[in-house]
Amino acid sequence: MKEKINITTKNLASGNCQVKFFVEDEQKPEYGYLLISEPKPVGEIIAEIQHRLENRRAARQNINPLFPVEPSADDYNFYLFSA
C-alpha cells in the first residue's frame, strides 16, 4: 500500500524548485524535502518521492546486523526526517 503524500512547492532564486512533502502514516509519519531542477507535474513528483522512499527503506534493510552503521546517503537532493 502506498502512503498518502502531501506536497508544497517553492521556486528558489537558483531556478530550482524545492518540494516539501509530508508522508501521512499513523505508525511513522515523516516529512522531507526534494530539490528538483525543473517544474514537473504533481504526479511525477509524488512518484519520484515514493521511489526515493522505497530506495531509502531498502538500503536500511540491507544493514549488516554485526556492523549496524547506516550507509551514508549520496542523494543530496532528498532529505527525510521523522515527524
Side-chain angles (χ1 to χ4, degrees):
M1 181 179 131
K2 297 284 183 186
E3 306 92 352
K4 182 172 181 183
I5 299 175
N6 293 319
I7 66 169
T8 57
T9 60
K10 176 181 177 182
N11 291 323
L12 304 176
S14 65
N16 290 330
C17 181
Q18 179 189 49
V19 179
K20 181 176 182 180
F21 63 90
F22 184 76
V23 180
E24 293 184 18
D25 183 345
E26 290 183 17
Q27 302 293 328
K28 187 178 178 195
E30 299 172 306
Y31 72 98
Y33 298 90
L34 172 66
L35 184 65
I36 56 177
S37 58
E38 60 189 35
K40 294 182 179 183
V42 172
E44 283 184 33
I45 294 171
I46 291 175
E48 185 170 343
I49 291 169
Q50 288 172 334
H51 176 73
R52 290 177 186 228
L53 286 171
E54 289 169 9
N55 288 346
R56 182 74 57 97
R57 290 175 183 145
R60 247 187 250 140
Q61 289 178 351
N62 290 330
I63 295 174
N64 183 342
L66 300 176
F67 192 67
V69 175
E70 231 175 290
S72 62
D74 293 329
D75 190 354
Y76 298 108
N77 292 329
F78 185 75
Y79 296 92
L80 183 63
F81 306 97
S82 294

